[in-house]
Amino acid sequence: MSTFQAPKGTYDLLPPDSATYLAVREAIAGPLKNSGYGYIETPGFENVELFARGVGESTDIVTKEMYAFETKGGDRLALRPEGTASVLRAALEANLHKGGNLPVKLWYSGSYYRYERPQKGRYRHFSQVGAEAIGAEDPALDAELIILADQAYRSLGLRNFRILLNSLGDQECRPVYRAALQDFLRGLDLDDDTRRRVDINPLRVLDDKREYVQKQLTGAPMLRDYLCEACKAYHEQVRELLTAAGVAFEDDEKLVRGLDYYTRTTFEFVHDGLGSQSAVGGGGRYDGLSEMIGGPALPSVGWALGVDRTVLALEAEGIALDIPAATSVYAVPLGDEARRVLFGAVTELRRAGVATDFAYGGKGLKNAMKSANRSGARLALVAGERDLAEGVVQLKDLTSGEQTPVALDAVVDEVRRALG
Ligand code: HAM
């Protein structure tokens, strides 16, 4: 152990478990790559104002959880707490929205940072794979994204997740609802913090998990009753498309989400085996975000799925992904000459695409064979001076223990044949 430890709220991804994380990222990315989404990567930090304006001045993310700092040059930056604002900023900066090919469909995968109170499933550094479809108002696009997330979770074998769906209305109907909700909430017995929230972001109060708040919310005006005709029709189409695709969802009129940019469609994927950090992913439409960060009107929709929580969901369902062993062949040289010759064979095998590793560090036979078994390899290539004198190496099947000599110049072919 060194003097140092991973910072609070973070953890290291180590083999062999790290392979599951990679597989989860790939499983989420797969359906996106197959549906016209191109890969985008943006910096790990941005101008702090981008998140303040985009995610919202009144959100927990911006007021409490952002890693904001000033650089030596005097720039105010923040480690990215989420991906949507950055991706939209990058798309606008590169004029991806110009040229008539809308929506711009992008996917991303990376690290995000929130100064949260750490607990299982809630970290200060975490991973998301996300997707954003920028510049089109079309219920089929909202449905597409939800269907692709559902497909990704199912491809991993997950079953105990639910899709919660809501509409938050638009700039026409939401302000009317907001005012009605504020009127109602101001009549309740709430603590100072919550009363402040009523002024700044009343919809978030609906999401308050505390029982004394929830109890008083019976009879609160619901957004559903205030949605304008256009929002209602839009939402109905999203629902119909999901139903037609056989994707089950639950209408959840209290689903608000913790970011301010949402309009109309919002959704969350929750897993029932994760306790309080049950949201494995979430997203929605953000038709006004582009204008909020100085761009043109670009109605858009997207989601981000949490990789850490998806891995926890797999554990909760007892799912072990079928991850092939990293190494197929392990080479064990006995002596200096064998080391030179086998190292050559290893290079050749790798160039032929066979996952191969080598017993480095001049290990004895016993230790080297232990390493071979630990590597998960199916075959070992063993050679000593006598083998070399005969122009062969021993090809050992590590499952059956069976050993056959193969000619040095036929190693690649024989290994391929043995691996099937
Ligand atoms: P979000 O709901 O804040 O949305 O995060 C999405 C997912 O990231 C969550 O459902 C969760 O799985 C994971 N996550 C968030 N915070 C943590 C944490 N502290 N520790 C572990 N996992 C975490 C967004 O970030 C939006 N940008 C999604 C979006 C994309 N909306 C439109 N486009």
Side-chain angles (χ1 to χ4, degrees), residues 275-305:
S276 58
Q277 305 308 313
S278 62
V280 287
R285 188 154 268 289
Y286 48 95
D287 293 342
L289 180 56
S290 174
E291 286 144 300
M292 286 194 280
I293 63 170
L298 279 174
S300 307
V301 57
W303 51 240
L305 310 188

mmCIF file of all heavy atoms in Angstrom, residues 275-305:
data_model
loop_
_atom_site.group_PDB
_atom_site.id
_atom_site.type_symbol
_atom_site.label_atom_id
_atom_site.label_comp_id
_atom_site.label_asym_id
_atom_site.label_seq_id
_atom_site.Cartn_x
_atom_site.Cartn_y
_atom_site.Cartn_z
ATOM 1 N N GLY A 275 -31.840 -0.038 -4.228
ATOM 2 C CA GLY A 275 -32.090 0.819 -3.068
ATOM 3 C C GLY A 275 -32.329 2.257 -3.488
ATOM 4 O O GLY A 275 -32.980 2.516 -4.497
ATOM 5 N N SER A 276 -31.734 3.205 -2.721
ATOM 6 C CA SER A 276 -32.105 4.605 -2.946
ATOM 7 C C SER A 276 -31.509 5.188 -4.231
ATOM 8 O O SER A 276 -32.054 6.130 -4.793
ATOM 9 C CB SER A 276 -31.719 5.453 -1.743
ATOM 10 O OG SER A 276 -30.333 5.336 -1.528
ATOM 11 N N GLN A 277 -30.379 4.665 -4.688
ATOM 12 C CA GLN A 277 -29.803 5.192 -5.948
ATOM 13 C C GLN A 277 -30.300 4.333 -7.107
ATOM 14 O O GLN A 277 -29.530 3.652 -7.774
ATOM 15 C CB GLN A 277 -28.273 5.195 -5.880
ATOM 16 C CG GLN A 277 -27.699 5.942 -4.700
ATOM 17 C CD GLN A 277 -28.251 7.352 -4.598
ATOM 18 O OE1 GLN A 277 -28.301 8.091 -5.583
ATOM 19 N NE2 GLN A 277 -28.700 7.733 -3.421
ATOM 20 N N SER A 278 -31.610 4.379 -7.323
ATOM 21 C CA SER A 278 -32.205 3.409 -8.243
ATOM 22 C C SER A 278 -32.177 3.851 -9.705
ATOM 23 O O SER A 278 -32.416 3.050 -10.596
ATOM 24 C CB SER A 278 -33.644 3.127 -7.822
ATOM 25 O OG SER A 278 -34.393 4.323 -7.897
ATOM 26 N N ALA A 279 -31.878 5.121 -9.969
ATOM 27 C CA ALA A 279 -31.896 5.585 -11.364
ATOM 28 C C ALA A 279 -30.633 5.115 -12.071
ATOM 29 O O ALA A 279 -29.535 5.559 -11.753
ATOM 30 C CB ALA A 279 -31.994 7.102 -11.419
ATOM 31 N N VAL A 280 -30.792 4.202 -13.008
ATOM 32 C CA VAL A 280 -29.624 3.756 -13.764
ATOM 33 C C VAL A 280 -29.392 4.635 -14.991
ATOM 34 O O VAL A 280 -28.327 4.601 -15.604
ATOM 35 C CB VAL A 280 -29.711 2.268 -14.180
ATOM 36 C CG1 VAL A 280 -29.502 1.368 -12.985
ATOM 37 C CG2 VAL A 280 -31.033 1.952 -14.848
ATOM 38 N N GLY A 281 -30.390 5.419 -15.354
ATOM 39 C CA GLY A 281 -30.223 6.311 -16.497
ATOM 40 C C GLY A 281 -31.388 7.272 -16.570
ATOM 41 O O GLY A 281 -32.406 7.071 -15.906
ATOM 42 N N GLY A 282 -31.196 8.330 -17.346
ATOM 43 C CA GLY A 282 -32.293 9.287 -17.466
ATOM 44 C C GLY A 282 -32.042 10.251 -18.594
ATOM 45 O O GLY A 282 -30.922 10.359 -19.117
ATOM 46 N N GLY A 283 -33.101 10.941 -18.977
ATOM 47 C CA GLY A 283 -32.937 11.914 -20.060
ATOM 48 C C GLY A 283 -34.235 12.588 -20.395
ATOM 49 O O GLY A 283 -35.208 12.520 -19.630
ATOM 50 N N GLY A 284 -34.237 13.207 -21.558
ATOM 51 C CA GLY A 284 -35.439 13.892 -21.993
ATOM 52 C C GLY A 284 -35.138 14.922 -23.049
ATOM 53 O O GLY A 284 -34.014 15.035 -23.545
ATOM 54 N N ARG A 285 -36.184 15.660 -23.366
ATOM 55 C CA ARG A 285 -36.110 16.678 -24.405
ATOM 56 C C ARG A 285 -35.656 17.991 -23.779
ATOM 57 O O ARG A 285 -35.970 18.297 -22.633
ATOM 58 C CB ARG A 285 -37.515 16.803 -25.000
ATOM 59 C CG ARG A 285 -37.651 17.653 -26.208
ATOM 60 C CD ARG A 285 -38.832 17.241 -27.051
ATOM 61 N NE ARG A 285 -38.399 16.273 -28.056
ATOM 62 C CZ ARG A 285 -37.641 16.586 -29.114
ATOM 63 N NH1 ARG A 285 -37.230 17.824 -29.313
ATOM 64 N NH2 ARG A 285 -37.280 15.662 -29.978
ATOM 65 N N TYR A 286 -34.847 18.739 -24.516
ATOM 66 C CA TYR A 286 -34.377 20.029 -23.996
ATOM 67 C C TYR A 286 -34.426 21.054 -25.126
ATOM 68 O O TYR A 286 -33.422 21.472 -25.661
ATOM 69 C CB TYR A 286 -32.978 19.899 -23.369
ATOM 70 C CG TYR A 286 -31.953 19.156 -24.202
ATOM 71 C CD1 TYR A 286 -31.070 19.834 -25.037
ATOM 72 C CD2 TYR A 286 -31.873 17.761 -24.173
ATOM 73 C CE1 TYR A 286 -30.130 19.158 -25.797
ATOM 74 C CE2 TYR A 286 -30.947 17.076 -24.939
ATOM 75 C CZ TYR A 286 -30.082 17.782 -25.753
ATOM 76 O OH TYR A 286 -29.166 17.098 -26.513
ATOM 77 N N ASP A 287 -35.641 21.452 -25.473
ATOM 78 C CA ASP A 287 -35.853 22.290 -26.659
ATOM 79 C C ASP A 287 -35.290 23.704 -26.510
ATOM 80 O O ASP A 287 -35.037 24.359 -27.504
ATOM 81 C CB ASP A 287 -37.348 22.346 -26.985
ATOM 82 C CG ASP A 287 -37.875 20.992 -27.447
ATOM 83 O OD1 ASP A 287 -37.050 20.137 -27.829
ATOM 84 O OD2 ASP A 287 -39.108 20.784 -27.419
ATOM 85 N N GLY A 288 -35.085 24.161 -25.272
ATOM 86 C CA GLY A 288 -34.628 25.538 -25.101
ATOM 87 C C GLY A 288 -33.154 25.693 -24.767
ATOM 88 O O GLY A 288 -32.646 26.812 -24.658
ATOM 89 N N LEU A 289 -32.451 24.571 -24.597
ATOM 90 C CA LEU A 289 -31.065 24.660 -24.092
ATOM 91 C C LEU A 289 -30.139 25.420 -25.047
ATOM 92 O O LEU A 289 -29.314 26.231 -24.620
ATOM 93 C CB LEU A 289 -30.515 23.254 -23.818
ATOM 94 C CG LEU A 289 -29.073 23.169 -23.297
ATOM 95 C CD1 LEU A 289 -28.888 23.996 -22.028
ATOM 96 C CD2 LEU A 289 -28.668 21.719 -23.035
ATOM 97 N N SER A 290 -30.287 25.171 -26.338
ATOM 98 C CA SER A 290 -29.399 25.831 -27.300
ATOM 99 C C SER A 290 -29.491 27.351 -27.146
ATOM 100 O O SER A 290 -28.469 28.043 -27.055
ATOM 101 C CB SER A 290 -29.779 25.407 -28.718
ATOM 102 O OG SER A 290 -29.026 26.142 -29.652
ATOM 103 N N GLU A 291 -30.702 27.859 -27.078
ATOM 104 C CA GLU A 291 -30.858 29.312 -26.916
ATOM 105 C C GLU A 291 -30.294 29.780 -25.568
ATOM 106 O O GLU A 291 -29.717 30.861 -25.475
ATOM 107 C CB GLU A 291 -32.339 29.701 -27.048
ATOM 108 C CG GLU A 291 -32.809 29.643 -28.500
ATOM 109 C CD GLU A 291 -34.242 29.146 -28.626
ATOM 110 O OE1 GLU A 291 -34.498 27.985 -28.194
ATOM 111 O OE2 GLU A 291 -35.092 29.903 -29.128
ATOM 112 N N MET A 292 -30.443 28.946 -24.543
ATOM 113 C CA MET A 292 -29.919 29.345 -23.227
ATOM 114 C C MET A 292 -28.409 29.513 -23.241
ATOM 115 O O MET A 292 -27.847 30.251 -22.444
ATOM 116 C CB MET A 292 -30.305 28.302 -22.157
ATOM 117 C CG MET A 292 -31.772 28.364 -21.766
ATOM 118 S SD MET A 292 -32.098 27.438 -20.275
ATOM 119 C CE MET A 292 -32.189 25.789 -20.745
ATOM 120 N N ILE A 293 -27.723 28.803 -24.138
ATOM 121 C CA ILE A 293 -26.260 28.941 -24.171
ATOM 122 C C ILE A 293 -25.813 29.748 -25.401
ATOM 123 O O ILE A 293 -24.663 29.653 -25.839
ATOM 124 C CB ILE A 293 -25.544 27.573 -24.094
ATOM 125 C CG1 ILE A 293 -25.872 26.685 -25.306
ATOM 126 C CG2 ILE A 293 -25.910 26.857 -22.802
ATOM 127 C CD1 ILE A 293 -24.988 25.422 -25.383
ATOM 128 N N GLY A 294 -26.742 30.525 -25.959
ATOM 129 C CA GLY A 294 -26.379 31.485 -27.001
ATOM 130 C C GLY A 294 -26.490 30.978 -28.418
ATOM 131 O O GLY A 294 -26.002 31.623 -29.351
ATOM 132 N N GLY A 295 -27.116 29.825 -28.616
ATOM 133 C CA GLY A 295 -27.266 29.270 -29.963
ATOM 134 C C GLY A 295 -28.639 29.559 -30.532
ATOM 135 O O GLY A 295 -29.459 30.232 -29.898
ATOM 136 N N PRO A 296 -28.903 29.051 -31.750
ATOM 137 C CA PRO A 296 -30.226 29.207 -32.355
ATOM 138 C C PRO A 296 -31.213 28.209 -31.748
ATOM 139 O O PRO A 296 -30.804 27.351 -30.969
ATOM 140 C CB PRO A 296 -29.968 28.858 -33.819
ATOM 141 C CG PRO A 296 -28.851 27.875 -33.768
ATOM 142 C CD PRO A 296 -27.992 28.260 -32.592
ATOM 143 N N ALA A 297 -32.475 28.310 -32.114
ATOM 144 C CA ALA A 297 -33.464 27.348 -31.630
ATOM 145 C C ALA A 297 -33.130 25.974 -32.207
ATOM 146 O O ALA A 297 -33.053 25.811 -33.422
ATOM 147 C CB ALA A 297 -34.861 27.777 -32.067
ATOM 148 N N LEU A 298 -32.887 25.006 -31.336
ATOM 149 C CA LEU A 298 -32.557 23.650 -31.801
ATOM 150 C C LEU A 298 -33.194 22.641 -30.857
ATOM 151 O O LEU A 298 -32.584 22.212 -29.880
ATOM 152 C CB LEU A 298 -31.037 23.430 -31.794
ATOM 153 C CG LEU A 298 -30.201 23.954 -32.946
ATOM 154 C CD1 LEU A 298 -28.714 23.746 -32.645
ATOM 155 C CD2 LEU A 298 -30.570 23.250 -34.251
ATOM 156 N N PRO A 299 -34.439 22.294 -31.109
ATOM 157 C CA PRO A 299 -35.092 21.320 -30.228
ATOM 158 C C PRO A 299 -34.319 20.003 -30.247
ATOM 159 O O PRO A 299 -33.932 19.536 -31.313
ATOM 160 C CB PRO A 299 -36.488 21.151 -30.849
ATOM 161 C CG PRO A 299 -36.364 21.642 -32.245
ATOM 162 C CD PRO A 299 -35.273 22.675 -32.249
ATOM 163 N N SER A 300 -34.093 19.431 -29.082
ATOM 164 C CA SER A 300 -33.208 18.262 -29.000
ATOM 165 C C SER A 300 -33.663 17.319 -27.902
ATOM 166 O O SER A 300 -34.460 17.693 -27.033
ATOM 167 C CB SER A 300 -31.776 18.722 -28.697
ATOM 168 O OG SER A 300 -31.346 19.703 -29.607
ATOM 169 N N VAL A 301 -33.146 16.119 -27.947
ATOM 170 C CA VAL A 301 -33.513 15.118 -26.938
ATOM 171 C C VAL A 301 -32.312 14.194 -26.723
ATOM 172 O O VAL A 301 -31.498 14.011 -27.633
ATOM 173 C CB VAL A 301 -34.787 14.346 -27.374
ATOM 174 C CG1 VAL A 301 -34.613 13.671 -28.728
ATOM 175 C CG2 VAL A 301 -35.228 13.327 -26.331
ATOM 176 N N GLY A 302 -32.190 13.658 -25.509
ATOM 177 C CA GLY A 302 -31.058 12.760 -25.254
ATOM 178 C C GLY A 302 -31.198 12.028 -23.943
ATOM 179 O O GLY A 302 -32.184 12.204 -23.210
ATOM 180 N N TRP A 303 -30.220 11.179 -23.667
ATOM 181 C CA TRP A 303 -30.163 10.510 -22.370
ATOM 182 C C TRP A 303 -28.729 10.210 -21.993
ATOM 183 O O TRP A 303 -27.820 10.261 -22.830
ATOM 184 C CB TRP A 303 -30.989 9.241 -22.284
ATOM 185 C CG TRP A 303 -30.897 8.136 -23.294
ATOM 186 C CD1 TRP A 303 -31.941 7.682 -24.066
ATOM 187 C CD2 TRP A 303 -29.777 7.268 -23.629
ATOM 188 N NE1 TRP A 303 -31.528 6.621 -24.856
ATOM 189 C CE2 TRP A 303 -30.211 6.349 -24.600
ATOM 190 C CE3 TRP A 303 -28.462 7.194 -23.210
ATOM 191 C CZ2 TRP A 303 -29.382 5.363 -25.169
ATOM 192 C CZ3 TRP A 303 -27.626 6.222 -23.765
ATOM 193 C CH2 TRP A 303 -28.094 5.319 -24.722
ATOM 194 N N ALA A 304 -28.540 9.892 -20.733
ATOM 195 C CA ALA A 304 -27.258 9.354 -20.285
ATOM 196 C C ALA A 304 -27.546 8.191 -19.350
ATOM 197 O O ALA A 304 -28.430 8.273 -18.498
ATOM 198 C CB ALA A 304 -26.447 10.429 -19.570
ATOM 199 N N LEU A 305 -26.822 7.097 -19.562
ATOM 200 C CA LEU A 305 -26.972 5.934 -18.695
ATOM 201 C C LEU A 305 -25.720 5.825 -17.830
ATOM 202 O O LEU A 305 -24.601 6.019 -18.297
ATOM 203 C CB LEU A 305 -27.161 4.659 -19.522
ATOM 204 C CG LEU A 305 -28.233 4.694 -20.633
ATOM 205 C CD1 LEU A 305 -28.436 3.295 -21.217
ATOM 206 C CD2 LEU A 305 -29.552 5.253 -20.144
#
